[in-house]
Amino acid sequence: MESTKRSEIKVGLFALTGVILFCVSIILLGGDKWILKRTYALKVMLPQVQGLAKGSVVSLSGVPIGNVTELDFKADSNEVEVTVKIDQGAQARITKGSMATIKTQGALGDKYIFIQPGPFGAPALQEGEMLETDRSPDFLDIMAAKGAEFGEVVNVIKEMRILLEGINKDGDGRHLISNLASAAYEARETLKIVRTETLVPLNSVMRKLDAGQGTLGALINDPSLHNRLLGIVGSNQRNQFLKPLIRESIQTYEKKTSKP
């Protein structure tokens, strides 16, 4: 009789141990595995939660550090007060100036809270304090708001595809590229000829002019020509005769050209 009771106690202890291990396994494999760690609570005020729910992940620079525990409407407004449970090991990095925002994760669009750390070394946020909120929309929100504009981009991409398919049809794209390469080669050879037959002789001519060679070079580099021109039109007495003569010539020309 006594041995039977001992056996029943052993079986009961074994079953209890199995149930405890099973529960611990569920906790560790589930989303609320932070229950075995030391945690503290912070609050985030959001205009809307956009699909956020209890148990949603909270990450710090992409590293999971906690979960959402409560979502409640604020008493004096329509904003939602979100309470998050954070691993206490990350507290030193969630400092004054840290920013929280809702982001989308994965193809299914799961929402989570992303925390951007504040200045390193600043005072850490304490139990129950409020995280600042970055209210700028994420990429998917922007796409939803600009759906019509993104549709136009998609149409342009489709038209480009049709154009490229038309160019590549029957090997036309290969011929087009070959023609472009041939045209580029011919243009390069033409530039070589222009440089050899035009620019090089022109450079030689300019050097000769600068050196005062030839009649034109002598006229350009001879200062006496400038002095002679001043001698012709520079004197005040000569100007009294030259200016009326030039003015009369201009007026005569204008009268001739203005007649129908």
Side-chain angles (χ1 to χ4, degrees), residues 5-256:
K5 288 182 178 180
R6 288 180 180 178
S7 298
E8 290 177 352
I9 291 172
K10 288 180 181 179
V11 171
L13 291 174
F14 180 79
L16 180 62
T17 302
V19 171
I20 292 173
L21 291 175
F22 178 73
C23 293
V24 171
S25 299
I26 292 176
I27 292 172
L28 291 176
L29 295 175
D32 201 21
K33 56 188 176 183
W34 306 100
I35 194 171
L36 300 180
K37 294 185 178 182
R38 296 181 61 188
T39 61
Y40 72 108
L42 292 176
K43 296 184 181 296
V44 183
M45 199 68 65
L46 297 168
Q48 55 180 353
V49 294
Q50 305 178 23
L52 203 68
K54 290 183 180 180
S56 296
V57 174
V58 178
S59 72
L60 178 67
S61 297
V63 179
I65 60 167
N67 296 94
V68 174
T69 58
E70 296 291 338
L71 297 96
D72 296 306
F73 281 106
K74 193 176 177 183
D76 56 350
S77 71
N78 289 327
E79 291 193 328
V80 181
E81 185 179 82
V82 180
T83 304
V84 296
K85 184 171 57 179
I86 304 295
D87 178 14
Q88 205 160 22
Q91 186 172 11
R93 299 185 182 276
I94 305 178
T95 60
K96 298 287 185 181
S98 298
M99 301 290 290
T101 185
I102 295 180
K103 289 196 174 184
T104 305
Q105 182 179 29
L108 298 178
D110 296 333
K111 299 293 184 177
Y112 70 100
I113 292 182
F114 178 87
I115 299 177
Q116 181 67 39
F120 190 78
L125 295 177
Q126 301 301 315
E127 174 77 25
E129 287 195 284
M130 188 74 64
L131 269 164
E132 294 183 29
T133 307
D134 181 7
R135 305 198 177 195
S136 58
D138 64 4
F139 178 71
L140 292 180
D141 294 330
I142 294 173
M143 287 191 65
K146 303 291 185 180
E149 297 179 11
F150 279 106
E152 293 179 2
V153 173
V154 172
N155 291 334
V156 171
I157 294 174
K158 288 181 179 179
E159 291 176 2
M160 288 294 297
R161 179 183 175 184
I162 295 172
L163 176 62
L164 291 175
E165 288 178 350
I167 291 175
N168 291 325
K169 187 178 180 181
D170 299 328
D172 291 340
R174 184 173 62 254
H175 296 311
L176 176 62
I177 294 174
S178 176
N179 292 336
L180 289 174
S182 176
Y185 175 78
E186 292 177 359
R188 185 169 60 251
E189 294 300 317
T190 302
L191 289 175
K192 288 181 181 179
I193 294 172
V194 169
R195 184 169 57 250
T196 302
E197 298 185 359
T198 304
L199 297 181
V200 173
L202 182 60
N203 189 29
S204 176
V205 170
M206 295 301 295
R207 284 199 301 268
K208 291 179 179 179
L209 290 174
D210 189 56
Q213 299 179 13
T215 303
L216 185 57
L219 290 173
I220 293 174
N221 292 276
D222 187 2
S224 62
L225 177 61
H226 177 261
N227 295 331
R228 291 174 185 174
L229 289 173
L230 287 178
I232 294 172
V233 298
S235 174
N236 290 332
Q237 295 179 353
R238 291 171 181 169
N239 284 339
Q240 294 176 358
F241 298 100
L242 288 175
K243 287 182 180 179
L245 181 60
I246 294 172
R247 187 179 298 109
E248 184 179 354
S249 299
I250 293 173
Q251 292 175 351
T252 303
Y253 174 77
E254 289 177 348
K255 290 179 181 179
K256 289 181 180 181

